[in-house]
Every structure is written in structure tokens, then in C-alpha cells.
Amino acid sequence: MAHRALALKYRPQVFADLIGQDHVSSVLGRALEGARIAHAYLFTGARGVGKTTSARILAKALNCERRRAGVQKGPDPCNACTSCTEITAGVSLDVAEIDGASNRGIADVQALREKVRFSPTGGIFRVVIIDEVHQLSNDAFAALLKTLEEPPPHLVFIFATTDPQKLPDTIRSRTQRFDFARVPLRKVADRLLDIQKREAADREGTRFTLTEDAALLIAHKSEGSMRDAVSALDQVVSAGEAGIDEELVRRVLGLADREAFFAIAEAIVKRDPAAALRAVHAAFEKGLDARDLAEGLAEHVRHILILKVDPKGDDLVALGHEDIARLKAQGEGWSESDLLRLLKLASEAPWPMRDSPQPLIHLEAAVMQMATLEPGETLAQLLARLEALEQRLAGAVPSPASAGRAASTAPRPSGPITPPRAESGAPRLPTAPAPGAQRPPVASAAPAAATAAARAPGGATGLAEPAAAIDESTAACWRDALAGINAKKRMLGAFLEESRFVGIDGARLLVAMDDLHRAVVEESENRALIAAEISRAFGRTLEVRCVSGDGGGIAPRAASIEDVRPLVDRAIAWFEGDVVERKPTRTERANG
């Protein structure tokens, strides 16, 4: 007897044999039992998931003689009567199966319309199955529309397509649509193992053994297509070996060895770039293509990430239990966000390799970058650190009124205040003043020195506090200006409240602040707003000058602009989707 392909030999003949399409078979079965037959059905889905097979089973069930006689119970056809055997063999006059790609013209549809007008010869229904119906021309759809709109009572259309969006809305709206899903990997593997058992029980079948890992590997290669998986199994069986394992499947189907990806990933997760390069070249010397290595590595990292996010997600990883345990072990010590960054690097590596004459170089660069990737921080962590820093700063800020009173009424000491030094020899920041205590001002310099310093380039000066008198009316005008700025831009007003109003020196208004506050205040838009409010509150035009120094009443703090700006930059990078690395701040470096 001639060999028959496994995909044809084990093609489902009843609804129960459909794998992974329970939502379709259950609805069609109940419709058959209740005699609620639509005049047109639309079966959509990927290749090899059972669309045409379901159409044939439905056609057999509609015309099954034993079902009509009440001998066959349920929705499944008997597959033994004359009608069922003829439909299975493809010689039934009541079932017409048409290829939409080769019968796509208006003349073909017109000829079909003439045929379907006649009553069925042996069954109750005349069934027309049009495969790849989306390839019909627009004129053919227009010619088919009239028949589809007012069909004869004995006519049933079944359309099958992989691209339902190409069908006109007038066609889709007149059909009952069923979307066929891709078959889960585990169900595909179980079906292959079942075929192996049925072949062993068949006297004319091929005797072979199939391991679970080999079945999972074939199922993964099929990408959810049952027909592709059975055809791949038939190809491996044709190798003539009695035992089919993972190694044989990889050799026959030309798949890369999984151990190569385990070796590369092991070096990456251990952050060992030298070992990662050696593993890449070891796999390359075995004959594996660089592009296949890149795609396989991306898939391997994807498995690690899935098992890290969902340790029980074995159904999403087409591997055996031993390999799944190894993948989980490789993911230990890595966060989900860092694994996602690794996956991004691995998945982007194959793109430049497609047109490159030296694809291995791109793979080496990607592997090196992955093996040297430092732990990163998520956007939520960055925002949490910024919020904690903001709360730290806000906890030491007194009210603007008390700061102004302290600056205007406190007696000035005769000499500067020298901050204490830590025992380690490193300069230590002074502690915050006790509650209710006034901040002792720094010694004033000469007015001429203040004016010269205020005119320094960039508005910055090394002078701690220029000499300028602040009376009650001047302080009231400053508070009025702050109120106006707060009303228009609260963040800018908060930065000015944390600064210290020094006074007015001629046509200049002096404000003492640190580098962080000055960077915000000296933005062109902010300077324009400040100048407008200052002119309104003081009744004349004053040039705002930022001088160096701490804000009035603000206790010195450990955080500096060097601590804040990297956080902001990394937060912006996360917003834009860039990969950022966690870098220690100056305070962290100082603390070891």
C-alpha cells in the first residue's frame, strides 16, 4: 500500500477531533442539534488550524443519512453512510470545494450561481466551500452578493480565509463569523504523541518512539499550526530512525542546538563578557548561522522573562520540565525590568544583521552589551527617589514670612561663621537650626564689592551675601511679587520661596540661591515672568541678579544638584523609552 501523509491520514473527521477550537465546535454542534443552520459561515484564522477541515465536517453533518434517520445521535457525522464517505473522498455532487485563488473571476462565480440553483442530489443541503475567499476579485464579490443575500433554502456557503479584512463589509455582514485560534503548544505536542501511539497500534503504520522534548520542539516550530506540526513529524519520521528525540528533530529540521543558547545566556546573566564571546564563537564554529543564533538568543531570553514574571507559565514555553527549571535558575538575581532590557537588546540584534556582510560582528556587539549591562532602575523607582528627596528638602523649609523677618531684623555678627568639620577630615554640612531660632546671617561685604560681584558674568557670584538693606516696605513688595509668581507658576514660586531675598542694590534685585535653584530661575521664560512681577510689585524695572548662597532660613542639606539632575535625566530617558543604567550619586560614592 502506498504511503499516506500523516497530515491526511489523521485529519479530523468529527468535531471532537478538532484541537484547540472548542469555542467553534461547541457552537456549531449546538446549532446542528437545534437545526439552526445559517445560510453562510465565515471561518477565519491562521494557516493549519482547522478551517477547511471544520467546513468539511459541517458539510458531512448537514447531509449525514444516519443523522437524518435519527440513528446517529449528536452533531458529529457518522462517517459511514454514502454521503459521508463521498464527502470525505471529495466526490460528492452536493459539496463543491472551490479555491478562491484560482477561481477568482466573475465568470467563475456566475457559473457557480448556475450550479447552486438546483436541488441537492442525495442530501438535504448543497454546500459550497470557498477556500481563501479573500482572493476573489471585486467583480466576483459583487456577482456573489445577490445569491448570498437571497440564497435558496437548500444552499449553505462556507467561506475560509486567513485575511478577513480583505472581504467587503457587504459579504462579512451576511455571514456568521468564527475565529479559529492558534493551537496551544502543549495541545500540539499532545496531538503528536497521540499520533505516535495510533501509528504504533496500526498494523500498516510506522513504528517509532517520540520523546516529549521532541514533540514540544516540533510544536514550537509549527507556531500554532497543527498541519505544519504533523507535516514536520512526518518529515522526521522519514529519516528512518526508530527513536525520535530532540537531537534528531534539530538535525532533520535544521534547528539550532538549545545548549548553545543556555551557554550564552549563562555567561550573560553572570555578567561575564569573555565567557559570552567564547560561547558565541563555539556555537558559530559548529555551523550555526549568526542570524539564527541572534533569533534563538532572543527567544531564550523571552523564556527566562516569561518564567520570571509567571513561574507557572509553562504553557507559554515549549520546553521540558528540566529545561524550564534551568531557565528559572538563570533568571534568579535579575529583575523583570532588567530582563526586559536584555530582551530588547536581543530582539533588536537581528535587524542590522539582515543586510550586513559581517552579521557576526553585530551579534558580538549585542552579546557584549548584554553581558556588561548594569542593573537599572524603573521609572517608578526614580519617581519615588525624587519624591523622597523633595520631602527631605521640604521638611526644613520655614515659611517665607518668618524667613523675611529673620533676614531683616536679626543682628549681624562681626565675623563670618565657619562650618564645623567632621572627624574624618571631610567637610560636614551644618545642621539645621533649632525650632524658633533665627538663622545667623553671614558677614556682609562692601556695597561696591556686592555691585561688582552682581555684575559678574552669568549673574553668579562668589559673594555669600551682598550688602543691601531690607525695610518693611521692600519685604512687602517682595512678598507681593512672590504671590503673583505663585499664582501664575507654582513651581517657580516654590523655588523662589526656598531662596533668600538679599535686597536691592541700585537697579538690581539680589536673591541668594544655590546652583539648582539658579538653573530654574535663569530660564528665559521664567526670567521674563519674574521680571514682569518684580516690576509690578516694586513699581519700577529691576534687574534680578542671582548670587551664590543658601536660601534664607533653609537648613543646609546633603542633597545637591549633582544628586537631583541624574534622577531627572533618567526619568526623562524612561519616558522616551531609552535604556538607562543605574549610576551611583555623589553622596553614594562618598559613603562607599
Side-chain angles (χ1 to χ4, degrees), residues 254-257 260-261 280 282-293:
L255 303 178
D257 186 9
F261 304 121
V280 168
F284 186 73
E285 291 172 358
K286 291 181 180 179
L288 298 179
D289 184 71
R291 297 174 183 86
D292 295 338
L293 279 174

Side-chain angles (χ1 to χ4, degrees), residues 332-354:
E332 295 178 357
W334 283 75
S335 64
E336 291 87 346
S337 58
D338 289 336
L339 289 175
L340 187 60
R341 295 162 62 198
L342 287 180
L343 180 58
K344 181 180 180 182
L345 292 173
S347 60
E348 290 177 351
W351 289 102
M353 299 170 65
R354 298 179 186 275

Side-chain angles (χ1 to χ4, degrees), residues 9 68 74 147 176 247-248 309 348 372-373 381 388 548 553 568:
K9 185 177 180 179
R68 282 185 289 165
T147 305
Q176 288 188 7
E247 181 181 356
L248 177 62
V309 175
E348 290 177 351
T372 57
L373 191 68
Q381 293 172 332
S548 62
V568 177

